[in-house]
Structures are given as C-alpha cells and as structure tokens.
C-alpha cells in the first residue's frame, strides 16, 4: 500500500477513493472504482477480476499503469469530469489518444474529437488528418483535409507522416489534391465565370477582335500558383502585385473599352477557388 510519505496528485487525493493508480514518475492517483468502471472498458474488465489478498470490501486496489504524469493526468481528468488545461502541443494530444485507446475510454475520445479542428492545432493539418482517419472521424477528416492544401506533400518534409496513413486514406488525400487542381483549371478555362477571356469569338463591343494573350498569361500564372499551393489563399493575397495581373487589368481595346473588369474577375476567381477546394466526396473513397 502507498504510505503517507508518497506523493498523491492534489486533484486525485480523495482518501475515500478505492483505487490507487501509479504513474511512471511514482505519482499516485486516487480514483473511485465506479468512475473507472463506467468510463473505461479496460478498467471495467480489470476490476471485475478477483483481487489477490483482499481482506475486506473497503481495501484499496493499487495499480501501476506505466503511464507518465503528463498523459495520465489529462486522461483521468476527462474521465472524472474535471477541468482540462489547454493542450500544449499536438504531441500531447496524440499521446493522450494512445492511452485513451488503450483504456477503451469513449468519453475522453469524444472530448478530443470536438477539439481536434480548433485553431490551436491548425498549423499541423496533416497530422490531424492522420488522427481523424485513424479513428474514423469523417467530418473532421474532411475539415482538416482542406487545410492540407497549403502543404507541398511531395517535398519530402511530410513523408514520415504520410507513411502513417492507411492506403485508402492516403489515396483519398492525394485524389482530393489532384481533384482541386483539375477543377480550378477547368473553371479558368470555362465561360461560366470567365466569359470575357474564354468565349469565342473574342470580339469587343465595338466589333474589333480582342487579343486575349494577357488573360492567357494570367491564367498560366494562376494555375502555376495553385499547383504550388492549392488552398488558393496565396493567390488572393499576392496576385495584385503580379506583372501578369497588372497587364491584364490595364489592357484596353482601341475604342477605349477595357478587356477585363478587375472587380468581377477577382470576385469570380474567389468563387472558382471556393468551388475547387470543396470536399464533396467521402474521404475514404478516392475518385477514379
């Protein structure tokens, strides 16, 4: 049994609790067995087994669970309904998920699911996609999948994380990236949003034939930037300073009419990007 000199976590020091859990650092956590039974399949099974050397029904059960304090405390807080401090890193989330999975604790798993798409972890969408794929969180996977469009998946930096994905989820991710690029190119070449540059015949209102070379050059630049970062945010942020944009907005017919309206073109470009990066297929069903 733990002695009075041994360290109990201040949030888990209720002397009436009948189970004592010990971390790898030697910290003791007093927890009521009814809570462990109700929130964890692992403990429900373990505590149903006959306990050796149990002299009375009030005897405490001590278990060395082999988990560090940083992870164990957070998971126990979720299981016991205590306040949870902010997550310091995605590494802590992953470590907690491993323990939650080991302990078969659906309640804490649902807590993390609701937090996984918060802005706190937005800087690492690929790891979030791995976690969402692992636990079958389809809605969350779709949300973070869009944010992976800001990454260059094939530059070698992300190989280790990509290797952790099941093949069907990896194929879904790659198919989504490719689909976004195809949609964007099709929108730029179509007449629904960009009729001024793509309709045939390309005539001005005055009857003169228009030369759309400036639009074609801008399209090439747009496609190149979208291939580099298919989230499209860099296009909207930077294109006003591109030489191709400047020329496109300035070109006019001999009659003085501008070939392209900057305001409507940028507005339609925003719509083209929005449509291109829409997630409208299940994440585990690659488009063939």
């Amino acid at each position: 049994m733990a002695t009075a000199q041994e360290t109990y976590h201040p949030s888990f020091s209720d002397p009436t609790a009948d189970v004592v859990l010990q971390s790898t650092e030697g910290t003791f956590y007093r927890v009521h067995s009814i809570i462990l039974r109700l929130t964890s399949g692992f403990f429900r099974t373990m505590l149903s087994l006959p306990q050796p050397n149990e002299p009375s029904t009030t005897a405490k059960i001590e278990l060395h669970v082999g988990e560090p304090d940083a992870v164990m405390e957070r998971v126990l807080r979720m299981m016991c309904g205590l306040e949870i401090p902010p997550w310091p890193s995605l590494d802590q989330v992953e470590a907690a998920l491993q323990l939650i999975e080991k302990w078969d604790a659906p309640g804490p798993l649902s807590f993390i699911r609701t937090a996984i798409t918060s802005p706190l972890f937005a800087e690492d969408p690929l790891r979030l996609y791995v976690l969402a794929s692992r636990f079958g969180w389809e809605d969350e996977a779709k949300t973070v999948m869009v944010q992976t469009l800001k990454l260059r998946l094939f530059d070698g930096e992300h190989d280790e994380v990509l290797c952790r994905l099941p093949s069907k989820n990896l194929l879904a991710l790659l198919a989504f990236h490719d689909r976004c690029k195809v949609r964007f190119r099709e929108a730029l070449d179509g007449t629904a949003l960009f009729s001024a540059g793509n309709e045939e015949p390309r005539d001005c209102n005055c009857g003169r034939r228009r030369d759309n070379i400036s639009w074609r050059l801008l399209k090439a630049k747009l496609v190149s930037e979208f291939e580099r970062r298919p989230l499209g945010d860099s296009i909207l942020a930077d294109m006003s300073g591109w030489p191709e944009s400047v020329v496109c907005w300035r070109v006019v017919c001999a009659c003085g009419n501008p070939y392209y309206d900057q305001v409507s073109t940028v507005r339609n470009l925003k719509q083209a990007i929005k449509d291109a990066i829409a997630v409208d297929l299940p994440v585990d069903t690659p488009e063939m």
Side-chain angles (χ1 to χ4, degrees), residues 8-67:
Y8 286 89
H9 192 284
S11 298
F12 298 91
S13 57
D14 182 357
T16 66
D18 54 342
V19 176
V20 179
L21 306 177
Q22 185 181 6
S23 70
T24 53
E25 290 93 335
T27 306
F28 290 91
Y29 296 76
R30 286 173 166 156
V31 187
H32 292 274
S33 61
I34 184 63
I35 294 177
L36 295 176
R37 290 176 185 271
L38 290 175
T39 58
S40 165
F42 171 80
F43 285 110
R44 188 179 308 119
T45 300
M46 175 172 286
L47 295 175
S48 67
L49 300 175
Q51 301 299 320
N53 303 320
E54 188 175 313
S56 70
T57 57
T58 60
K60 289 183 171 54
I61 301 171
E62 289 192 5
L63 299 172
H64 188 286
V65 295
E67 301 292 340

